[in-house]
Amino acid sequence: MTPTMPIVVSATSPTSAEAKDVSLRYYEDIVGRYHGRPASRQETLDAQAGYPSNDLVAPLGLLLLARQGASVLCCAGMRVRPGDIGEVTRVFVEPAARGKGVGRLLMKELERKSRELGLDALRLDTRTDLAEERSLYASLGYIEGAPHTTDPYANHWFRKELA
């Protein structure tokens, strides 16, 4: 990460080339971490196919990318759910950018955009092996609570009131 270039966060279409590329890296990372070994191409594609992203566009949701120059450093998505709740998904920070505040910057922008959409709260789920994510969410004020999804891979559920 070059310190002289600003980090720019903006919404993008999940069908853009950048979004598809970072989505593939996201699934490579989480599938590999789940299995404790590098994910095969087929495992990555199968995982990606199981979690479509066509609803990460207005007015159903959004997909944010954080870029530094031509490099995409991280992504985060949100789906609008009933009850003025946003469901956070696809939070991913490139390994080289981890621990540098980029994920925090992206999540704060996701929260700001969610408030603009009139949402009252955000919720998300994650797994035990994604310890960095759980730590980030807790540091941003997300409270771990009861399950709100039936995703077979989730075992931690968080919520944050936006008011």
Side-chain angles (χ1 to χ4, degrees):
M1 191 161 63
T2 308
T4 58
M5 296 184 76
I7 295 170
V8 178
V9 177
S10 60
T12 192
S13 166
T15 61
S16 74
E18 286 180 315
K20 287 180 178 180
D21 187 51
V22 74
S23 177
L24 201 57
R25 294 193 310 272
Y26 164 76
Y27 281 105
E28 285 172 350
D29 185 62
I30 65 166
V31 171
R33 291 171 82 166
Y34 180 78
H35 291 298
R37 58 167 171 73
S40 73
R41 177 80 170 164
Q42 193 58 54
E43 288 171 326
T44 299
L45 294 173
D46 289 347
Q48 189 175 35
Y51 294 90
S53 59
N54 58 338
D55 58 350
L56 298 180
V57 294
L60 302 172
L62 59 93
L63 178 64
L64 298 178
L65 300 182
R67 298 175 186 89
Q68 190 168 45
S71 299
V72 174
L73 303 177
C74 55
C75 64
M78 186 274 301
R79 292 179 176 92
V80 176
R81 296 297 191 210
D84 294 327
I85 295 172
E87 189 170 86
V88 178
T89 187
R90 302 252 170 52
V91 177
F92 173 67
V93 178
E94 290 289 349
R98 292 177 184 163
K100 298 180 180 179
V102 183
R104 176 176 300 281
L105 174 74
L106 188 66
M107 286 299 293
K108 287 186 176 275
E109 182 63 9
L110 186 76
E111 291 174 9
R112 188 185 73 73
K113 294 255 187 209
S114 296
R115 282 186 193 94
E116 284 179 2
L117 291 170
L119 300 180
D120 296 326
L122 289 174
R123 68 183 187 194
L124 57 91
D125 60 45
T126 191
R127 302 185 324 229
T128 299
D129 61 316
L130 302 175
E132 303 95 336
E133 285 187 17
R134 292 191 347 269
S135 177
L136 172 64
Y137 303 142
S139 76
L140 288 168
Y142 288 77
I143 307 296
E144 190 163 0
H148 58 262
T149 64
T150 58
D151 187 318
Y153 298 104
N155 53 15
H156 294 273
W157 296 266
F158 290 84
R159 181 181 172 107
K160 181 177 182 177
E161 302 301 318
L162 295 175

